[in-house]
Amino acid sequence: MEKTVLNKKKRWNDEARAGLVFALPPVIGFFMFTAIPVVFSIFASFTDWNSMTNLTDFSTLEFIGIENYKELFTDSQFWRALWNTFFYMIGIPLGILWALGLALSFNKDLPGIKTFRVIYYIPVVSSIVAVSLLWRWLYNGDYGLLNQFIKWAFGVQGPNWLEKEHTVKPAIMMMCVWRGVGNTALLYLGGLQNVPKSYYEAAYLDGAGRWTVFKSITWPLMKPITFFIVITGIIGGSQMIVEPQIMAPLGGENYSAATIVFYIWQKAFGTADAKGFACAAAWVLALIIFIATAIQFKFGPESDNYLE
């Protein structure tokens, strides 16, 4: 009996050591590349940190209190970038409507429907840089395909979409909606295929029309998926940088295309060379994302019975 207990204890110790060996690398990686940089960024946001600062000697970092935050809130470019970021999020409801319509079509047993599912999902797995460059050519004011179509169809010359203040944001937003609609449609398709067919059969037997069925059954049962899409859309939209960086490298006319992360990148690694200031801006962005997410969870769906 004692020997069996010792064998079990030895086996447990061996398994514990093996588990520790496998768990240690990600734990070390988390502290080295996430936890420590996050803590340091909080401290750095209250300093004058720049590329000339010697981080091996923390005495070279000058503590300046909340001066970075004061300067941030008086910077017109910050508020412009923040407004642009919120504007791009108009694409979230547009993408939801488009994706839900696609998912309803994909859920039908039609010839070649699987091919269309793959086609719409290709942009999701494609390089975001390649997609942005493709759409930059599409929007070109001189030889872009979009303006060529406008001239052929309506006989007028289209604008230079990415060079004009009032067209660059809608242009980039529509590209982002197009790129992400395949993923959103796939999420909705998975939800639609899990709805019991008996719900629809009972509704049609009661004489309900298609709109009534959609309003009373389909849409309520899609609420958890919609909630997830909105949350991830807000978080992802707040962190957007690649699209404006490629399609409007300088932030567009009058900084009309820059996002808040683009602004932070310019301050940290651009000509400004103000890494402490960029840390302050990053923490303001983190607070905004936290508040937006908390509001969504506060007013999001609570009941599991979404047909009530």
Side-chain angles (χ1 to χ4, degrees):
M1 180 69 179
E2 184 177 351
K3 186 176 180 180
T4 304
V5 172
L6 290 175
N7 288 335
K8 287 183 177 180
K9 187 175 181 180
K10 182 179 182 302
R11 186 164 59 250
W12 186 89
N13 288 335
D14 292 340
E15 292 176 353
R17 281 194 290 269
L20 183 62
V21 168
F22 282 105
L24 203 56
V27 171
I28 294 174
F30 169 77
F31 279 99
M32 287 185 61
F33 301 109
T34 303
I36 294 176
V38 165
V39 173
F40 175 75
S41 70
I42 298 175
F43 168 74
S45 69
F46 297 100
T47 68
D48 64 344
W49 178 33
N50 55 52
S51 60
M52 300 301 293
T53 305
N54 182 10
L55 292 181
T56 60
D57 183 8
F58 283 96
S59 63
T60 60
L61 282 174
E62 182 181 352
F63 185 80
I64 58 175
I66 62 172
E67 291 302 317
N68 284 331
Y69 292 92
K70 287 182 178 179
E71 183 181 350
L72 178 68
F73 290 123
T74 57
D75 188 355
S76 60
Q77 281 193 334
F78 166 75
W79 293 108
R80 191 67 184 269
L82 190 62
W83 158 247
N84 295 340
T85 303
F86 288 144
F87 183 92
Y88 288 132
M89 291 184 190
I90 297 175
I92 296 175
L94 296 178
I96 286 174
L97 293 175
W98 186 4
L100 185 57
L102 284 175
L104 292 170
S105 301
F106 290 163
N107 198 35
K108 299 181 183 298
D109 189 15
L110 299 173
I113 197 66
K114 292 183 180 179
T115 303
F116 278 100
R117 293 175 187 172
V118 173
I119 290 173
Y120 271 95
Y121 198 74
I122 288 176
V124 179
V125 296
S126 299
S127 166
I128 188 172
V129 175
V131 170
S132 299
L133 287 172
L134 177 66
W135 277 76
R136 184 177 178 179
W137 168 79
L138 184 71
Y139 283 134
N140 187 278
D142 297 323
Y143 52 81
L145 188 61
L146 179 58
N147 277 0
Q148 289 185 27
F149 172 78
I150 292 174
K151 189 173 183 179
W152 171 78
F154 305 103
V156 296
Q157 178 63 36
N160 196 341
W161 298 89
L162 300 179
E163 301 295 331
K164 299 298 181 182
E165 181 177 353
H166 301 295
T167 57
V168 62
K169 282 196 292 291
I172 295 177
M173 181 188 69
M174 289 311 300
M175 186 275 287
C176 295
V177 171
W178 171 85
R179 183 177 180 272
V181 72
N183 184 60
T184 308
L186 187 66
L187 293 173
Y188 276 127
L189 179 61
L192 290 172
Q193 291 181 342
N194 283 318
V195 177
K197 293 183 179 179
S198 58
Y199 289 0
Y200 295 113
E201 292 170 355
Y204 287 129
L205 285 174
D206 288 341
R210 289 186 178 182
W211 171 247
T212 303
V213 169
F214 174 81
K215 182 180 65 172
S216 302
I217 298 177
T218 304
W219 179 245
L221 290 175
M222 295 300 106
K223 282 183 179 179
I225 298 174
T226 304
F227 177 71
F228 171 79
I229 292 169
V230 171
I231 289 291
T232 55
I234 290 175
I235 295 174
S238 301
Q239 299 173 350
M240 187 173 73
I241 181 174
V242 177
E243 296 89 335
Q245 194 174 33
I246 292 176
M247 301 178 74
L250 299 178
E253 184 182 13
N254 294 327
Y255 221 57
S256 56
T259 61
I260 186 65
V261 177
F262 181 88
Y263 171 84
I264 293 171
W265 173 82
Q266 277 196 328
K267 295 299 181 182
F269 305 105
T271 56
D273 189 22
K275 291 179 173 57
F277 181 85
C279 288
W283 274 104
V284 171
L285 173 61
L287 182 62
I288 292 172
I289 295 175
F290 174 80
I291 293 173
T293 305
I295 292 173
Q296 287 292 320
F297 274 99
K298 175 67 176 178
F299 297 101
E302 297 179 357
S303 174
D304 291 333
N305 187 4
Y306 299 103
L307 296 179
E308 288 182 349

